[in-house]
PDB file of all heavy atoms in Angstrom:
ATOM      1  N   ASP A   1     -13.483   6.133  32.409  1.00 84.00           N
ATOM      2  CA  ASP A   1     -12.079   5.783  32.749  1.00 84.00           C
ATOM      3  C   ASP A   1     -11.716   4.420  32.289  1.00 84.00           C
ATOM      4  O   ASP A   1     -10.566   4.126  31.770  1.00 84.00           O
ATOM      5  CB  ASP A   1     -11.791   5.862  34.333  1.00 84.00           C
ATOM      6  CG  ASP A   1     -11.777   7.343  34.782  1.00 84.00           C
ATOM      7  OD1 ASP A   1     -11.819   8.292  33.959  1.00 84.00           O
ATOM      8  OD2 ASP A   1     -11.678   7.537  36.004  1.00 84.00           O
ATOM      9  N   THR A   2     -12.698   3.500  32.294  1.00 88.00           N
ATOM     10  CA  THR A   2     -12.497   2.190  31.811  1.00 88.00           C
ATOM     11  C   THR A   2     -12.273   2.140  30.306  1.00 88.00           C
ATOM     12  O   THR A   2     -11.305   1.448  29.795  1.00 88.00           O
ATOM     13  CB  THR A   2     -13.569   1.236  32.169  1.00 88.00           C
ATOM     14  OG1 THR A   2     -13.740   1.160  33.616  1.00 88.00           O
ATOM     15  CG2 THR A   2     -13.366  -0.198  31.654  1.00 88.00           C
ATOM     16  N   ARG A   3     -13.193   2.905  29.616  1.00 88.00           N
ATOM     17  CA  ARG A   3     -12.976   2.962  28.175  1.00 88.00           C
ATOM     18  C   ARG A   3     -11.715   3.556  27.818  1.00 88.00           C
ATOM     19  O   ARG A   3     -10.953   3.010  26.851  1.00 88.00           O
ATOM     20  CB  ARG A   3     -14.152   3.829  27.587  1.00 88.00           C
ATOM     21  CG  ARG A   3     -14.199   3.972  26.095  1.00 88.00           C
ATOM     22  CD  ARG A   3     -15.017   5.017  25.566  1.00 88.00           C
ATOM     23  NE  ARG A   3     -14.655   6.339  25.912  1.00 88.00           N
ATOM     24  CZ  ARG A   3     -15.294   7.262  26.627  1.00 88.00           C
ATOM     25  NH1 ARG A   3     -16.500   6.888  27.093  1.00 88.00           N
ATOM     26  NH2 ARG A   3     -14.776   8.438  27.014  1.00 88.00           N
ATOM     27  N   SER A   4     -11.299   4.651  28.368  1.00 85.00           N
ATOM     28  CA  SER A   4      -9.987   5.326  28.095  1.00 85.00           C
ATOM     29  C   SER A   4      -8.803   4.393  28.425  1.00 85.00           C
ATOM     30  O   SER A   4      -7.926   4.304  27.563  1.00 85.00           O
ATOM     31  CB  SER A   4      -9.856   6.649  28.857  1.00 85.00           C
ATOM     32  OG  SER A   4     -10.913   7.528  28.471  1.00 85.00           O
ATOM     33  N   PHE A   5      -8.893   3.680  29.511  1.00 86.00           N
ATOM     34  CA  PHE A   5      -7.793   2.949  29.972  1.00 86.00           C
ATOM     35  C   PHE A   5      -7.540   1.691  28.892  1.00 86.00           C
ATOM     36  O   PHE A   5      -6.350   1.464  28.480  1.00 86.00           O
ATOM     37  CB  PHE A   5      -8.037   2.290  31.330  1.00 86.00           C
ATOM     38  CG  PHE A   5      -6.969   1.253  31.704  1.00 86.00           C
ATOM     39  CD1 PHE A   5      -5.760   1.540  32.061  1.00 86.00           C
ATOM     40  CD2 PHE A   5      -7.441  -0.136  31.755  1.00 86.00           C
ATOM     41  CE1 PHE A   5      -4.809   0.569  32.357  1.00 86.00           C
ATOM     42  CE2 PHE A   5      -6.539  -1.160  31.966  1.00 86.00           C
ATOM     43  CZ  PHE A   5      -5.274  -0.796  32.371  1.00 86.00           C
ATOM     44  N   THR A   6      -8.632   1.074  28.589  1.00 88.00           N
ATOM     45  CA  THR A   6      -8.462  -0.098  27.721  1.00 88.00           C
ATOM     46  C   THR A   6      -7.976   0.334  26.364  1.00 88.00           C
ATOM     47  O   THR A   6      -6.985  -0.252  25.701  1.00 88.00           O
ATOM     48  CB  THR A   6      -9.705  -0.892  27.534  1.00 88.00           C
ATOM     49  OG1 THR A   6     -10.736  -0.007  27.282  1.00 88.00           O
ATOM     50  CG2 THR A   6     -10.119  -1.603  28.855  1.00 88.00           C
ATOM     51  N   ALA A   7      -8.518   1.478  25.794  1.00 86.00           N
ATOM     52  CA  ALA A   7      -8.117   1.919  24.524  1.00 86.00           C
ATOM     53  C   ALA A   7      -6.605   2.400  24.523  1.00 86.00           C
ATOM     54  O   ALA A   7      -5.824   2.027  23.643  1.00 86.00           O
ATOM     55  CB  ALA A   7      -9.002   3.034  24.057  1.00 86.00           C
ATOM     56  N   GLN A   8      -6.359   3.196  25.493  1.00 83.00           N
ATOM     57  CA  GLN A   8      -4.911   3.756  25.581  1.00 83.00           C
ATOM     58  C   GLN A   8      -3.957   2.755  26.015  1.00 83.00           C
ATOM     59  O   GLN A   8      -2.775   2.794  25.515  1.00 83.00           O
ATOM     60  CB  GLN A   8      -4.951   4.906  26.619  1.00 83.00           C
ATOM     61  CG  GLN A   8      -5.732   6.149  26.188  1.00 83.00           C
ATOM     62  CD  GLN A   8      -5.747   7.206  27.141  1.00 83.00           C
ATOM     63  OE1 GLN A   8      -5.542   7.021  28.417  1.00 83.00           O
ATOM     64  NE2 GLN A   8      -5.971   8.513  26.737  1.00 83.00           N
ATOM     65  N   SER A   9      -4.304   1.721  26.760  1.00 84.00           N
ATOM     66  CA  SER A   9      -3.359   0.619  27.116  1.00 84.00           C
ATOM     67  C   SER A   9      -2.936  -0.089  25.852  1.00 84.00           C
ATOM     68  O   SER A   9      -1.730  -0.402  25.580  1.00 84.00           O
ATOM     69  CB  SER A   9      -3.991  -0.292  28.144  1.00 84.00           C
ATOM     70  OG  SER A   9      -4.119   0.284  29.317  1.00 84.00           O
ATOM     71  N   LEU A  10      -3.944  -0.466  25.059  1.00 85.00           N
ATOM     72  CA  LEU A  10      -3.565  -1.133  23.812  1.00 85.00           C
ATOM     73  C   LEU A  10      -2.730  -0.210  22.879  1.00 85.00           C
ATOM     74  O   LEU A  10      -1.817  -0.656  22.219  1.00 85.00           O
ATOM     75  CB  LEU A  10      -4.888  -1.522  23.064  1.00 85.00           C
ATOM     76  CG  LEU A  10      -5.539  -2.852  23.651  1.00 85.00           C
ATOM     77  CD1 LEU A  10      -6.839  -3.128  22.923  1.00 85.00           C
ATOM     78  CD2 LEU A  10      -4.606  -3.994  23.404  1.00 85.00           C
ATOM     79  N   GLN A  11      -3.175   1.121  22.830  1.00 84.00           N
ATOM     80  CA  GLN A  11      -2.497   2.015  22.009  1.00 84.00           C
ATOM     81  C   GLN A  11      -1.034   2.143  22.387  1.00 84.00           C
ATOM     82  O   GLN A  11      -0.091   2.058  21.413  1.00 84.00           O
ATOM     83  CB  GLN A  11      -3.150   3.402  22.049  1.00 84.00           C
ATOM     84  CG  GLN A  11      -2.367   4.420  21.271  1.00 84.00           C
ATOM     85  CD  GLN A  11      -3.037   5.882  21.483  1.00 84.00           C
ATOM     86  OE1 GLN A  11      -4.133   5.999  22.081  1.00 84.00           O
ATOM     87  NE2 GLN A  11      -2.253   6.884  21.161  1.00 84.00           N
ATOM     88  N   PHE A  12      -0.747   2.246  23.614  1.00 81.00           N
ATOM     89  CA  PHE A  12       0.678   2.404  24.078  1.00 81.00           C
ATOM     90  C   PHE A  12       1.399   1.098  23.991  1.00 81.00           C
ATOM     91  O   PHE A  12       2.604   0.998  23.668  1.00 81.00           O
ATOM     92  CB  PHE A  12       0.697   3.037  25.482  1.00 81.00           C
ATOM     93  CG  PHE A  12       0.373   4.410  25.631  1.00 81.00           C
ATOM     94  CD1 PHE A  12      -0.696   4.815  26.357  1.00 81.00           C
ATOM     95  CD2 PHE A  12       0.986   5.398  24.824  1.00 81.00           C
ATOM     96  CE1 PHE A  12      -1.061   6.156  26.480  1.00 81.00           C
ATOM     97  CE2 PHE A  12       0.581   6.683  24.843  1.00 81.00           C
ATOM     98  CZ  PHE A  12      -0.396   7.060  25.653  1.00 81.00           C
ATOM     99  N   THR A  13       0.757  -0.052  24.316  1.00 80.00           N
ATOM    100  CA  THR A  13       1.348  -1.362  24.303  1.00 80.00           C
ATOM    101  C   THR A  13       1.841  -1.645  22.833  1.00 80.00           C
ATOM    102  O   THR A  13       2.965  -1.965  22.542  1.00 80.00           O
ATOM    103  CB  THR A  13       0.487  -2.450  24.751  1.00 80.00           C
ATOM    104  OG1 THR A  13       0.163  -2.152  26.175  1.00 80.00           O
ATOM    105  CG2 THR A  13       1.173  -3.799  24.745  1.00 80.00           C
ATOM    106  N   LEU A  14       0.897  -1.527  21.945  1.00 81.00           N
ATOM    107  CA  LEU A  14       1.144  -1.744  20.552  1.00 81.00           C
ATOM    108  C   LEU A  14       2.185  -0.657  20.032  1.00 81.00           C
ATOM    109  O   LEU A  14       2.955  -0.969  19.196  1.00 81.00           O
ATOM    110  CB  LEU A  14      -0.041  -1.669  19.724  1.00 81.00           C
ATOM    111  CG  LEU A  14      -1.154  -2.835  20.083  1.00 81.00           C
ATOM    112  CD1 LEU A  14      -2.370  -2.687  19.151  1.00 81.00           C
ATOM    113  CD2 LEU A  14      -0.521  -4.123  19.736  1.00 81.00           C
ATOM    114  N   GLY A  15       2.065   0.566  20.507  1.00 81.00           N
ATOM    115  CA  GLY A  15       3.055   1.548  20.153  1.00 81.00           C
ATOM    116  C   GLY A  15       4.453   1.225  20.475  1.00 81.00           C
ATOM    117  O   GLY A  15       5.457   1.390  19.806  1.00 81.00           O
ATOM    118  N   ILE A  16       4.566   0.616  21.775  1.00 80.00           N
ATOM    119  CA  ILE A  16       5.879   0.161  22.198  1.00 80.00           C
ATOM    120  C   ILE A  16       6.387  -1.009  21.396  1.00 80.00           C
ATOM    121  O   ILE A  16       7.494  -1.059  20.963  1.00 80.00           O
ATOM    122  CB  ILE A  16       5.809  -0.210  23.786  1.00 80.00           C
ATOM    123  CG1 ILE A  16       5.605   1.033  24.523  1.00 80.00           C
ATOM    124  CG2 ILE A  16       7.115  -0.949  24.174  1.00 80.00           C
ATOM    125  CD1 ILE A  16       5.317   0.825  25.946  1.00 80.00           C
ATOM    126  N   PHE A  17       5.461  -1.956  21.156  1.00 77.00           N
ATOM    127  CA  PHE A  17       5.834  -3.103  20.236  1.00 77.00           C
ATOM    128  C   PHE A  17       6.266  -2.516  18.856  1.00 77.00           C
ATOM    129  O   PHE A  17       7.301  -3.043  18.322  1.00 77.00           O
ATOM    130  CB  PHE A  17       4.577  -4.009  20.091  1.00 77.00           C
ATOM    131  CG  PHE A  17       4.427  -4.925  21.244  1.00 77.00           C
ATOM    132  CD1 PHE A  17       3.249  -5.743  21.279  1.00 77.00           C
ATOM    133  CD2 PHE A  17       5.310  -5.025  22.262  1.00 77.00           C
ATOM    134  CE1 PHE A  17       2.945  -6.548  22.423  1.00 77.00           C
ATOM    135  CE2 PHE A  17       5.026  -5.796  23.403  1.00 77.00           C
ATOM    136  CZ  PHE A  17       3.939  -6.578  23.398  1.00 77.00           C
ATOM    137  N   ASP A  18       5.537  -1.611  18.379  1.00 77.00           N
ATOM    138  CA  ASP A  18       5.803  -1.060  16.999  1.00 77.00           C
ATOM    139  C   ASP A  18       7.201  -0.334  17.030  1.00 77.00           C
ATOM    140  O   ASP A  18       8.016  -0.525  16.041  1.00 77.00           O
ATOM    141  CB  ASP A  18       4.757  -0.010  16.619  1.00 77.00           C
ATOM    142  CG  ASP A  18       4.804   0.297  15.176  1.00 77.00           C
ATOM    143  OD1 ASP A  18       5.429  -0.399  14.435  1.00 77.00           O
ATOM    144  OD2 ASP A  18       4.221   1.327  14.870  1.00 77.00           O
ATOM    145  N   ALA A  19       7.496   0.339  18.153  1.00 79.00           N
ATOM    146  CA  ALA A  19       8.679   0.975  18.227  1.00 79.00           C
ATOM    147  C   ALA A  19       9.892  -0.006  18.348  1.00 79.00           C
ATOM    148  O   ALA A  19      10.957   0.161  17.703  1.00 79.00           O
ATOM    149  CB  ALA A  19       8.803   1.909  19.490  1.00 79.00           C
ATOM    150  N   LEU A  20       9.702  -1.089  19.127  1.00 77.00           N
ATOM    151  CA  LEU A  20      10.668  -2.147  19.252  1.00 77.00           C
ATOM    152  C   LEU A  20      10.971  -2.875  17.924  1.00 77.00           C
ATOM    153  O   LEU A  20      12.109  -3.023  17.494  1.00 77.00           O
ATOM    154  CB  LEU A  20      10.320  -3.117  20.253  1.00 77.00           C
ATOM    155  CG  LEU A  20      10.301  -2.682  21.762  1.00 77.00           C
ATOM    156  CD1 LEU A  20       9.718  -3.765  22.694  1.00 77.00           C
ATOM    157  CD2 LEU A  20      11.703  -2.313  22.196  1.00 77.00           C
ATOM    158  N   LEU A  21       9.864  -3.060  17.203  1.00 73.00           N
ATOM    159  CA  LEU A  21       9.993  -3.808  15.993  1.00 73.00           C
ATOM    160  C   LEU A  21      10.715  -2.874  14.868  1.00 73.00           C
ATOM    161  O   LEU A  21      11.491  -3.256  14.120  1.00 73.00           O
ATOM    162  CB  LEU A  21       8.627  -4.227  15.437  1.00 73.00           C
ATOM    163  CG  LEU A  21       7.906  -5.304  16.230  1.00 73.00           C
ATOM    164  CD1 LEU A  21       6.444  -5.505  15.763  1.00 73.00           C
ATOM    165  CD2 LEU A  21       8.645  -6.561  16.305  1.00 73.00           C
ATOM    166  N   THR A  22      10.227  -1.620  14.896  1.00 76.00           N
ATOM    167  CA  THR A  22      10.902  -0.632  13.937  1.00 76.00           C
ATOM    168  C   THR A  22      12.337  -0.403  14.237  1.00 76.00           C
ATOM    169  O   THR A  22      13.153  -0.433  13.314  1.00 76.00           O
ATOM    170  CB  THR A  22      10.176   0.720  14.072  1.00 76.00           C
ATOM    171  OG1 THR A  22       8.750   0.611  13.735  1.00 76.00           O
ATOM    172  CG2 THR A  22      10.714   1.742  13.129  1.00 76.00           C
ATOM    173  N   PHE A  23      12.616  -0.414  15.537  1.00 80.00           N
ATOM    174  CA  PHE A  23      14.071  -0.269  15.995  1.00 80.00           C
ATOM    175  C   PHE A  23      14.802  -1.503  15.514  1.00 80.00           C
ATOM    176  O   PHE A  23      15.917  -1.386  14.903  1.00 80.00           O
ATOM    177  CB  PHE A  23      14.176  -0.105  17.384  1.00 80.00           C
ATOM    178  CG  PHE A  23      15.555  -0.057  17.995  1.00 80.00           C
ATOM    179  CD1 PHE A  23      16.234   1.143  17.999  1.00 80.00           C
ATOM    180  CD2 PHE A  23      16.183  -1.209  18.524  1.00 80.00           C
ATOM    181  CE1 PHE A  23      17.546   1.234  18.474  1.00 80.00           C
ATOM    182  CE2 PHE A  23      17.436  -1.149  18.999  1.00 80.00           C
ATOM    183  CZ  PHE A  23      18.121   0.096  18.963  1.00 80.00           C
ATOM    184  N   SER A  24      14.289  -2.707  15.777  1.00 72.00           N
ATOM    185  CA  SER A  24      15.022  -3.971  15.448  1.00 72.00           C
ATOM    186  C   SER A  24      15.268  -4.062  13.942  1.00 72.00           C
ATOM    187  O   SER A  24      16.290  -4.543  13.527  1.00 72.00           O
ATOM    188  CB  SER A  24      14.209  -5.103  15.912  1.00 72.00           C
ATOM    189  OG  SER A  24      14.009  -5.029  17.331  1.00 72.00           O
ATOM    190  N   LEU A  25      14.247  -3.608  13.177  1.00 68.00           N
ATOM    191  CA  LEU A  25      14.356  -3.879  11.723  1.00 68.00           C
ATOM    192  C   LEU A  25      15.232  -2.842  10.952  1.00 68.00           C
ATOM    193  O   LEU A  25      15.723  -3.024   9.920  1.00 68.00           O
ATOM    194  CB  LEU A  25      13.028  -3.918  11.115  1.00 68.00           C
ATOM    195  CG  LEU A  25      12.110  -5.037  11.362  1.00 68.00           C
ATOM    196  CD1 LEU A  25      10.614  -4.832  10.836  1.00 68.00           C
ATOM    197  CD2 LEU A  25      12.650  -6.338  10.762  1.00 68.00           C
ATOM    198  N   ASN A  26      15.484  -1.691  11.609  1.00 73.00           N
ATOM    199  CA  ASN A  26      16.052  -0.579  10.937  1.00 73.00           C
ATOM    200  C   ASN A  26      17.503  -0.206  11.533  1.00 73.00           C
ATOM    201  O   ASN A  26      18.258   0.430  10.978  1.00 73.00           O
ATOM    202  CB  ASN A  26      15.303   0.601  10.942  1.00 73.00           C
ATOM    203  CG  ASN A  26      14.121   0.595   9.992  1.00 73.00           C
ATOM    204  OD1 ASN A  26      14.251   0.920   8.863  1.00 73.00           O
ATOM    205  ND2 ASN A  26      12.885   0.267  10.543  1.00 73.00           N
ATOM    206  N   ILE A  27      17.730  -0.717  12.803  1.00 79.00           N
ATOM    207  CA  ILE A  27      18.990  -0.347  13.432  1.00 79.00           C
ATOM    208  C   ILE A  27      20.179  -0.981  12.785  1.00 79.00           C
ATOM    209  O   ILE A  27      21.303  -0.401  12.549  1.00 79.00           O
ATOM    210  CB  ILE A  27      18.960  -0.708  14.952  1.00 79.00           C
ATOM    211  CG1 ILE A  27      20.182  -0.154  15.632  1.00 79.00           C
ATOM    212  CG2 ILE A  27      18.909  -2.276  15.139  1.00 79.00           C
ATOM    213  CD1 ILE A  27      20.226   1.364  15.637  1.00 79.00           C
ATOM    214  N   LEU A  28      19.988  -2.200  12.217  1.00 73.00           N
ATOM    215  CA  LEU A  28      21.066  -2.837  11.446  1.00 73.00           C
ATOM    216  C   LEU A  28      21.385  -2.175  10.208  1.00 73.00           C
ATOM    217  O   LEU A  28      22.578  -1.934   9.794  1.00 73.00           O
ATOM    218  CB  LEU A  28      20.781  -4.385  11.287  1.00 73.00           C
ATOM    219  CG  LEU A  28      20.744  -5.289  12.529  1.00 73.00           C
ATOM    220  CD1 LEU A  28      20.365  -6.698  12.137  1.00 73.00           C
ATOM    221  CD2 LEU A  28      22.023  -5.286  13.197  1.00 73.00           C
TER     222      LEU A  28
END
């Protein structure tokens, strides 16, 4: 559970960051 949590937390956090950045750069 610790291995999955740390890997998935980073995956989703960076995925959210990626989504925000993608949105910010392309919405205009």
Side-chain angles (χ1 to χ4, degrees):
D1 291 354
T2 300
R3 183 192 66 242
S4 299
F5 169 75
T6 52
Q8 291 177 337
S9 291
L10 281 177
Q11 176 187 346
F12 288 125
T13 300
L14 296 177
I16 292 172
F17 282 172
D18 194 18
L20 291 173
L21 296 173
T22 300
F23 177 83
S24 302
L25 291 171
N26 289 277
I27 189 64
L28 291 178

